[in-house]
Amino acid sequence: MAYTFASPTRVLLGADALSELAARLPALGTSVLVVTDPGVKAVGILDEVVAAIESTVKVSVFSEVAGNPDVATVDGAVAAARTAGADIVLGLGGGSSIDVAKSAALVATNGGGIVDYEGADRFSTRPLPIVAIPTTVGSGSEVTKGAVITNPATHVKMVIVSDLLFPTLAVLAPSLVAKLPGKLAATTGMDALTHAVEAYVAKGANPLTDVINIGAIELIGRSIVKATRGDADALYDMLIASCMAGIGFHDAGLGAVHALANTLGGHYGVHHGTANALFLPYVIDYNLEAAPAKFARIASALGEDVAGLDDMAAARLAAAAVHRLADETGVPRRLSEFNVPASAIDTLAADALQQADLPGNPRPCTLDDLKALYLAAL
C-alpha cells in the first residue's frame, strides 16, 4: 500500500511570530480581510493582531463568525472580502473562524456558494492566499486542507477538502493563547487529543503521521490539565500539540468519533471539541480489538502504567486515561447535558453513517454500532 504525506503550510511560531508575519504579508498581497468572532474581538486579540500587521498591509475585519459556522456566515465573509478588495484572507480564532476564512477565500476566486464545493477536489482555481492564526488549542485547521461548514438546510456539516485549501502561512503566537479561559482550553484541547488519537489508529496512518500523532498525544497528556488552570507555558505547548495533530490527521484520516460529533453538531449545535471529548472514550473501547498495540502505546503516552501488561490489557487503559482527562478538565460527559433525547438517536446514527470521516475508522461501523455508541454517551 502506498501512502501520501504533505504539509505545505509554512508555520511561524514563537514570541516574534506576529512581527515575522507582518514582514511576509506584502509578498502575498496588499489588502487583508481578517475573519474572526466577537469573542476574539472583545478580549483585545483582534487589536493585537491588527496592530502588528497594519503597517505593511491594508486591514479590514469581518467579525461575525459563530461556533459551527454556516453557509450564511461564509456568504457574509465573501461579501466583506469583495467590498474591501481583499487579496488575502486571514482567519483569526478557533477552527470556526479559520474554516470560514478558507471557505471565503475559495468562493472569492471560484464563484458560486460554498455548498457547490462540498466533498473532495471540487474546484480548480486557487483561492486567495490564506493566513491562519489560531487562538484556541484544538482544531489544527491552520495546517489542514479542509474546512467544515454547516448547511442548515440539511443539518449536515459539509466537509470541503482540497490541497489548494492549505493555508500559505500559519502563526502560533504564545501571547494569543496565554489568557485562554479554562473551559475553552479544555474543550479545544480535547479536540486536539481526538485528532491525534483517531489519526494514530486510522486506516490511512503511516510511519510519518504516527510519529507526529504520538508526539502530540504525549504533549497533550502532560499539558492539558495545566492549560485549563491557566498555565501559560502549558497553553503554548497545547497550541503546538494542536498544530502537530492537524499535520498528523489530514493525510492519515479520522474516524467514528468525528462522524458522531459532526452529526451531533449539525443537529444540535454542540461545540465540536465538546462533542469529540464526549464520544472519544466510547469509540476507543469499540476500536480496541482493531489496533490493540497502538492503543497500548496511546495509554502509555497519556501516562498510564502499562508495564508487564499484554497489548489488550494495556490498550484498555487508553479509554481510562481519556475518561480521567475528561474528568480533570471538566468537559461535559453526557448527551443528556445538551437535551439530546434517546428518540433522536436513530436519526443521528443514520446521518453519522454517511459522514466522510467514518471510512477511516480502524473497525467498520454498522448503523447499529453507531446507535450503540450514541446510547453509551446518552
Side-chain angles (χ1 to χ4, degrees):
M1 185 171 181
Y3 298 95
T4 64
F5 179 84
S7 188
T9 300
R10 183 177 295 275
V11 181
L12 312 176
L13 65 162
D16 294 327
L18 287 175
S19 298
E20 180 65 19
L21 172 65
R24 290 174 179 267
L25 281 175
L28 302 180
T30 61
S31 178
V32 174
L33 177 71
V34 179
V35 176
T36 191
D37 65 72
V40 168
K41 182 177 181 180
V43 299
I45 291 175
L46 173 62
D47 290 340
E48 180 179 349
V49 172
V50 170
I53 66 174
E54 63 183 351
S55 64
T56 61
V57 288
K58 175 187 172 185
V59 180
S60 304
V61 176
F62 175 83
S63 59
E64 300 173 22
V65 178
N68 294 316
D70 61 14
V71 172
T73 307
V74 175
D75 290 343
V78 172
R82 288 173 175 160
T83 298
D87 52 11
I88 306 170
V89 183
L90 188 159
L92 173 66
S96 295
S97 292
I98 295 172
D99 283 2
V100 171
K102 290 179 177 179
S103 301
L106 184 171
V107 174
T109 59
N110 285 270
I114 195 61
V115 295
D116 300 322
Y117 304 106
E118 181 180 7
D121 301 319
R122 297 290 302 277
F123 61 95
S124 56
T125 301
R126 185 171 294 278
L128 296 177
I130 302 162
V131 176
I133 306 180
T135 63
T136 63
V137 294
S139 78
S141 186
E142 69 274 10
V143 287
T144 70
K145 59 184 177 182
V148 179
I149 302 294
T150 298
N151 185 345
T154 59
H155 302 291
V156 169
K157 282 194 166 188
M158 302 182 298
V159 179
I160 301 97
V161 179
S162 168
D163 284 349
L164 298 177
L165 270 186
F166 278 113
T168 303
L169 295 173
V171 177
L172 307 184
S175 65
L176 301 186
V177 296
K179 297 181 180 179
L180 187 68
K183 182 178 179 180
L184 272 176
T187 54
T188 61
M190 292 297 287
D191 188 20
L193 178 62
T194 302
H195 292 154
V197 169
E198 283 214 288
Y200 187 60
V201 300
K203 289 180 179 177
N206 65 66
L208 287 173
T209 62
D210 280 355
V211 171
I212 295 167
N213 284 316
I214 202 65
I217 291 167
E218 289 177 343
L219 189 52
I220 292 166
R222 65 175 184 260
S223 303
I224 188 170
V225 175
K226 292 178 182 178
T228 64
R229 296 170 182 168
D231 184 304
D233 290 337
L235 283 162
Y236 184 47
D237 283 345
M238 287 298 301
L239 182 63
I240 293 171
S242 173
C243 183
M244 291 170 64
I247 294 169
F249 85 72
H250 66 69
D251 279 320
L254 295 166
V257 178
H258 273 74
L260 298 167
N262 285 343
T263 302
L264 182 66
H267 282 268
Y268 288 92
V270 177
H271 177 271
H272 180 65
T274 301
N276 276 339
L278 191 68
F279 294 120
L280 181 58
Y282 305 108
V283 174
I284 288 176
D285 280 335
Y286 175 82
N287 282 334
L288 287 180
E289 66 183 54
K294 281 198 161 184
F295 280 112
R297 181 69 183 88
I298 289 169
S300 177
L302 291 176
E304 296 294 315
D305 183 2
V306 300
L309 300 179
D310 62 31
D311 281 347
M312 185 55 77
R316 293 190 184 100
L317 295 179
V322 173
H323 277 298
R324 170 175 52 80
L325 288 177
D327 286 339
E328 291 181 2
T329 57
V331 295
R333 307 303 313 279
R334 291 289 169 187
L335 289 174
S336 55
E337 296 179 55
F338 303 99
N339 299 314
V340 178
S343 59
I345 286 178
D346 285 354
T347 298
L348 290 171
D351 285 358
L353 192 63
Q354 306 304 316
Q355 283 285 316
D357 290 320
L358 191 61
N361 200 65
R363 181 182 172 189
C365 293
T366 66
L367 180 63
D368 285 342
D369 293 329
L370 295 172
K371 289 180 183 180
L373 288 166
Y374 277 120
L375 282 170
L378 191 61

